[in-house]
């Protein structure tokens, strides 16, 4: 049964379409299989008269005894005649004390580093070494995907990955014992899987536990978990063996492609190698096996493929085993999706925490959700800028220990930042003992000048609260001067390629800093344009026109005394 469109559930047949023919829903393309280059092998005519090829593992033994990797039924060959071992990207042939010797290109050798085309002679058997394309592993070690021309699997069974039938049926819908057994089997698999996998969030550990659960439920010798990477390719990410010694797992890409195209579980009797090996006793001992491959589907999206094989005997797996592995794959896909979601939440939490140090919590949430585009290139925008600076900081610091000074600054900065965030401003930076805050992009409000003035008044109220605590401990009170100005500024990321910050630069920023510089302890000074834009809710007092440093034009400052409405946040007298 073909898979269905995730939107309208219309069945989709092979070949996989780009969009659903019924509802037009775009469909993600099938992942491709990353096929490894062909590994090194021996080729030659054995005593049975057949020309064969034999792939080389990490260590390949040659001899007359059946326990050898490549058995040579030749009286002139010793029981344990020679071995070929992989050394980096080369292979080394070693004689194992044979009676009649080991020859390479007609010369007897005890040890020889093989080159492509070398002729190896053991007794009456002549074999040619072919280097193939020596692998540089990019995924899990010990996994080779052989191309179709090298693998001709025989498909014994194929079942659909369940699309809807993932839930238990109510008791009144169970009409026979077989249905009850089927639901019990689902429950057993889910229980065993969750018992072993649990709430694992580390991907490597999760993949290992998925394979372990598969081995506990099924008699497999080797297992590989392929995942779809960011490029849409299917790559091996985890490998498991029943026995401890490493052994290369050879997977046919025909099997993988069949799973990808149909999104169905596949059971194979797979000789893995070329069909010419069917009569070779050594190849039968090494290669023929039963194998299963099932897709990992979560909400219609292919996460990967789970592959198991056994070399105990042909047809070792049954259709029941395939259904069990499909159940495991279904649970594994959910576990992988949950782990991915958990990692995403953790990443978002870290990002939100970092952003919240400088942006208001509301803006930080918008940035994490991708709803606000922080500008990579500066643009001109309307902003309201606030500077709050401690008066006589040097004198205060001289009378306190360094630890007390740091504690005082941390308490001051924390109180000021909390006020900025409560009024949905952005904490731009700390400059020595001064705080800079900006209202405007990336989340501007129509009343940003009023928000900045309310924040300034509340900051002075917070300083008074801090001073009460300081005076109770016999420490000098803090005096803070605040300057506020509104106008146009360049807003965006500023800095080097390695370190930059989202800030505002311009004439209006400089004026706010100058007003802060002339404000006395406990004062809030604002320029005329901020006062006029903030509205009539504020009690202000005009001060003499000021000529500020670096400005030819004079500035009309106002002392902000408080709010006219006692119900507004930050009211002070």
């Amino acid at each position: 049964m073909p898979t269905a469109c995730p939107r309208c559930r219309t069945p989709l047949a092979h070949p996989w379409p780009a969009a659903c023919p019924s509802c037009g829903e775009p469909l993600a393309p099938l992942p491709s299989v990353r096929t490894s280059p062909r590994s090194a092998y021996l080729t030659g005519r054995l005593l049975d008269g057949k020309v064969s090829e034999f792939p080389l593992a990490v260590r390949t033994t040659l001899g007359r005894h059946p326990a050898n990797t490549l058995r040579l039924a030749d009286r002139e060959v010793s029981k344990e005649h020679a071995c070929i071992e992989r050394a980096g990207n080369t292979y080394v042939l070693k004689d194992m004390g044979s009676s009649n010797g080991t020859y390479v290109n007609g010369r007897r050798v005890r040890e020889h580093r093989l080159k492509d085309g070398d002729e190896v002679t053991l007794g009456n058997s002549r074999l040619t070494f072919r280097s193939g394309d020596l692998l540089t592993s990019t995924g899990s070690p010990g996994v080779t995907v052989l191309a179709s021309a090298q693998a001709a699997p025989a498909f014994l069974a194929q079942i659909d990955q369940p699309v809807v039938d993932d839930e238990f049926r109510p008791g009144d819908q169970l009409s026979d014992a077989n249905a009850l057994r089927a639901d019990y089997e689902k429950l057993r698999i889910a229980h065993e899987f969750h018992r072993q996998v649990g709430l694992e969030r580390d991907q490597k550990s999760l993949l290992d536990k998925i394979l372990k659960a598969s081995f506990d439920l099924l008699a497999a010798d080797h297992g590989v978990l392929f995942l779809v990477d960011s490029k849409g390719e299917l790559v091996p990410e985890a490998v498991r063996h029943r026995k401890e010694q490493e052994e290369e797992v050879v997977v046919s890409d025909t099997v993988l492609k069949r799973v990808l195209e149909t999104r169905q579980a596949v059971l194979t009797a797979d000789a893995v190698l070329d069909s010419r090996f069917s009569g070779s006793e050594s190849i039968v001992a090494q290669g023929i096996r039963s194998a299963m491959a099932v897709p990992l589907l979560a909400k219609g999206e292919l996460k990967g493929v789970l592959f198991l094989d056994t070399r105990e005997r042909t047809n070792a797996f049954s259709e029941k085993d395939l259904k069990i592995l499909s159940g495991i794959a279904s649970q594994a896909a959910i576990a992988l999706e949950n782990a991915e979601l958990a990692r995403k939440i953790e990443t978002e939490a870290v990002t939100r925490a970092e952003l919240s140090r400088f942006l208001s919590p509301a803006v930080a949430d918008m940035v994490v959700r991708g709803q606000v585009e922080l500008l990579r290139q500066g643009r001109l925008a309307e902003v309201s800028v606030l500077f709050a600076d401690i008066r006589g900081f040097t004198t205060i610091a001289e009378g306190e220990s360094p630890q007390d000074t740091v504690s005082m600054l941390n308490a001051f900065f924390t109180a000021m930042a909390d006020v900025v965030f409560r009024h949905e401003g952005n904490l731009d930076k700390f400059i020595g003992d001064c705080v800079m805050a900006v209202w405007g992009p990336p989340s501007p409000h129509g009343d940003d000048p009023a928000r900045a003035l309310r924040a300034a008044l509340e900051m002075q109220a917070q300083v008074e609260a801090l001073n009460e605590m300081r005076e109770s401990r016999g420490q000098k009170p803090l005096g803070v001067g605040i300057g506020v100005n509104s106008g146009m500024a360049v807003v965006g990321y500023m800095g080097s390629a390695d370190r930059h910050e989202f800030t505002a630069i311009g004439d209006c920023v400089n004026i706010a800093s100058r007003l802060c510089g002339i404000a006395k302890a406990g004062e809030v000074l604002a320029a005329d344009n901020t006062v006029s834009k903030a509205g009539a809710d504020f009690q202000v007092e005009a001060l003499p026109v000021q000529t500020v440093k670096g400005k030819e034009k004079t500035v009309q400052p106002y002392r902000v005394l408080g709010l006219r409405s006692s119900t507004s946040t930050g009211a002070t007298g």
Side-chain angles (χ1 to χ4, degrees):
M1 177 179 179
T3 189
C5 170
R7 179 180 177 185
C8 67
R9 313 308 301 171
T10 299
L12 300 175
H14 178 69
W16 188 257
C20 176
S22 298
C23 67
E25 173 77 3
L27 301 173
L30 291 175
S32 59
V33 179
R34 182 181 293 176
T35 304
S36 300
R38 189 177 188 184
S39 58
Y41 62 98
L42 296 175
T43 182
R45 189 181 301 277
L46 302 182
L47 290 183
D48 57 11
K50 295 184 178 180
V51 176
S52 299
E53 294 176 0
F54 188 85
L56 296 177
V58 176
R59 187 176 191 271
T60 302
T61 59
L62 302 90
R64 184 159 43 87
H65 194 277
N68 285 284
T69 314
L70 175 56
R71 181 189 178 191
L72 301 174
D74 184 345
R75 292 181 177 273
E76 301 297 322
V77 173
S78 300
K79 290 182 179 180
E80 296 177 347
H81 196 107
C83 71
I84 299 176
E85 296 179 345
R86 185 160 63 189
N89 282 342
T90 60
Y91 284 84
V92 177
L93 171 67
K94 298 179 180 180
D95 184 82
M96 300 173 67
S98 64
S99 300
N100 295 321
T102 300
Y103 294 81
V104 176
N105 301 325
R107 185 168 63 89
R108 186 167 182 169
V109 298
R110 289 191 176 181
E111 184 172 314
H112 179 80
R113 191 174 298 274
L114 293 170
K115 302 184 297 295
D116 187 72
D118 279 351
E119 184 182 72
V120 179
T121 303
L122 292 82
N124 296 311
S125 299
R126 293 188 177 184
L127 304 170
T128 302
F129 171 77
R130 294 299 179 187
S131 62
D133 298 313
L134 294 174
L135 302 177
T136 301
S137 178
T138 57
S140 294
V143 178
T144 301
V145 179
L146 293 181
S148 308
Q150 296 170 259
F155 291 93
L156 299 185
Q158 181 166 310
I159 65 171
D160 295 338
Q161 187 73 1
V163 176
V164 180
D165 188 22
D166 285 332
E167 300 180 355
F168 290 102
R169 286 156 286 187
D172 57 5
Q173 294 183 15
L174 295 176
S175 57
D176 56 41
N178 289 333
L180 182 61
R181 290 192 184 95
D183 282 345
Y184 171 80
E185 189 67 11
K186 292 180 185 178
L187 180 62
R188 184 181 74 87
I189 293 170
H191 170 74
E192 286 297 316
F193 183 85
H194 285 295
R195 185 179 64 83
Q196 297 185 33
V197 173
L199 299 177
E200 182 63 60
R201 291 295 175 260
D202 178 71
Q203 178 169 295
K204 183 179 184 305
S205 179
L206 176 59
L207 298 180
D208 291 339
K209 287 184 177 181
I210 290 171
L211 286 174
K212 181 180 183 302
S214 303
F215 274 51
D216 289 344
L217 292 170
L218 296 164
D221 292 328
H222 311 93
V224 183
L225 237 173
F226 295 85
L227 294 182
V228 179
D229 67 3
S230 58
K231 298 179 181 179
E233 294 182 331
L234 200 61
V235 294
E237 294 290 350
V239 182
R240 187 178 180 86
H241 305 279
R242 178 72 65 179
K243 300 177 181 179
E244 291 187 1
Q245 70 267 25
E246 285 192 13
E247 186 175 355
E248 192 171 37
V249 182
V250 183
V251 184
S252 164
D253 76 335
T254 305
V255 174
L256 295 180
K257 287 179 179 177
R258 184 71 168 264
V259 175
L260 296 180
E261 292 173 356
T262 64
R263 299 200 174 191
Q264 297 172 359
V266 172
L267 171 64
T268 72
D270 187 2
V272 177
L273 304 170
D274 193 290
S275 58
R276 291 174 296 174
F277 294 133
S278 58
S280 172
E281 181 180 354
S282 59
I283 296 299
V284 170
Q286 170 71 12
I288 288 186
R289 64 194 180 196
S290 291
M292 297 185 291
V294 295
L296 275 62
L297 295 171
K299 297 179 181 178
E301 180 183 356
L302 185 68
K303 298 289 185 181
V305 173
L306 176 56
F307 174 87
L308 297 182
D309 77 5
T310 178
R311 296 182 178 177
E312 291 297 324
R313 63 187 187 282
T314 307
N315 303 335
F317 295 132
S318 65
E319 291 191 38
K320 179 183 176 182
D321 295 326
L322 189 61
K323 290 180 179 179
I324 292 175
L325 188 62
S326 296
I328 295 173
S330 178
Q331 298 292 327
I334 295 173
L336 286 170
E337 186 178 44
N338 289 341
E340 182 179 346
L341 180 60
R343 288 193 299 272
K344 182 178 179 182
I345 292 173
E346 291 172 0
T347 301
E348 288 183 356
V350 172
T351 303
R352 185 180 291 105
E354 289 295 317
L355 290 173
S356 296
R357 296 169 56 200
F358 303 99
L359 303 176
S360 67
V363 174
D365 286 338
M366 295 174 67
V367 173
V368 170
R369 295 195 301 267
Q371 296 178 357
V372 175
E373 181 181 357
L374 295 180
L375 304 174
R376 293 291 177 184
Q377 296 180 349
R379 66 181 179 92
L380 206 60
E382 179 84 17
V383 297
S384 292
V385 185
L386 178 152
F387 284 88
D389 182 69
I390 298 177
R391 295 290 173 258
F393 172 76
T394 302
T395 303
I396 295 174
E398 286 177 350
E400 295 184 349
S401 67
Q403 293 81 2
D404 289 340
T405 300
V406 171
S407 177
M408 177 265 289
L409 282 176
N410 287 337
F412 170 71
F413 288 147
T414 300
M416 299 302 100
D418 289 344
V419 172
V420 172
F421 293 155
R422 274 198 293 274
H423 292 273
E424 299 186 43
N426 297 317
L427 181 62
D428 192 294
K429 59 176 68 71
F430 299 127
I431 311 168
D433 59 325
C434 178
V435 175
M436 176 183 173
V438 179
W439 281 259
S443 180
H445 308 87
D447 61 342
D448 279 338
R451 289 172 183 263
L453 290 184
R454 289 192 182 95
L457 293 172
E458 189 177 343
M459 283 178 171
Q460 293 292 11
Q462 289 294 316
V463 171
E464 291 181 8
L466 287 174
N467 283 337
E468 290 181 4
M469 290 187 292
R470 288 181 59 81
E471 290 173 347
S472 68
R473 296 194 293 263
Q475 297 172 317
K476 292 182 179 181
L478 302 179
V480 176
I482 299 177
V484 183
N485 187 35
S486 302
M488 303 301 292
V490 176
V491 181
Y493 277 113
M494 312 288 177
S496 67
D498 296 327
R499 182 175 180 178
H500 49 263
E501 59 184 2
F502 189 79
T503 188
I505 295 178
D507 188 56
C508 89
V509 179
N510 295 334
I511 292 176
S513 177
R514 301 293 184 262
L515 290 174
C516 176
I518 62 177
K520 298 177 183 178
E523 279 190 337
V524 174
L525 299 186
D528 52 351
N529 55 348
T530 301
V531 172
S532 62
K533 292 177 182 179
D537 290 341
F538 297 90
Q539 297 178 5
V540 297
E541 176 187 351
L543 298 178
V545 174
Q546 298 282 334
T547 300
V548 298
K549 183 180 178 181
K551 288 285 296 181
E552 293 183 2
K553 294 178 63 177
T554 58
V555 176
Q556 173 62 67
Y558 287 83
R559 181 184 292 118
V560 183
L561 303 175
L563 290 167
R564 297 185 186 279
S565 172
S566 61
T567 59
S568 299
T569 303
T572 185

